Amino acid sequence: MKTVRKIGVLVVSMGLVLPAAGLNAAEKVESKGAKLFQQHCAVCHPGGGNIINKAKTLHKKDREANGVRTAEDIIGKMRKPGPGMNPFDTKTVSDKDAKEIAQYVLNTFK
């Protein structure tokens, strides 16, 4: 009878522990590119939009219509943007971080 109780306690304990462990696994891990985007870009590009020029969003259709197709193109726009956008030099955003942001944009705003 004691064995049955021990098994019952073990089953109940596992029922409480496993869902709690699943909560941690279900948490979305934010990429470095996403964090950098939030820090440097999201104010003017919320949700991939563009608060200055609605025709120049970060969504693929608009990017490509404006000749921005690759990570290098995005970094080029970050370094030497057109009117209305502040430049992000290498002191503000390193080349490595600029690549992270560009990959995030390409992977997120399709």
Side-chain angles (χ1 to χ4, degrees):
M1 196 56 142
K2 288 183 180 182
T3 304
V4 173
R5 285 185 188 159
K6 287 180 183 178
I7 292 172
V9 169
L10 179 63
V11 168
V12 169
S13 297
M14 292 302 290
L16 296 174
V17 172
L18 289 178
L23 290 176
N24 290 335
E27 289 178 10
K28 187 175 181 180
V29 177
E30 190 174 43
S31 71
K32 183 175 181 181
K35 290 176 186 175
L36 290 165
F37 180 86
Q38 289 301 317
Q39 180 182 351
H40 297 289
C41 313
V43 170
C44 294
H45 295 284
N50 186 327
I51 65 169
I52 306 297
N53 185 339
K54 304 290 184 202
K56 293 187 175 184
T57 74
L58 301 180
H59 298 281
K60 184 176 181 176
K61 181 179 176 184
D62 291 336
R63 281 195 328 262
E64 290 185 352
N66 289 288
V68 179
R69 292 177 173 79
T70 66
E72 291 77 21
D73 293 337
I74 294 169
I75 295 166
K77 289 292 183 186
M78 291 171 67
R79 301 292 188 223
K80 295 181 181 179
M85 182 173 157
N86 295 327
F88 292 90
D89 62 19
T90 56
K91 291 180 184 177
T92 306
V93 178
S94 70
D95 287 336
K96 181 180 177 186
D97 287 352
K99 287 177 187 174
E100 292 278 352
I101 292 169
Q103 268 318 125
Y104 171 77
V105 168
L106 291 172
N107 293 335
T108 304
F109 305 113
K110 298 182 179 189

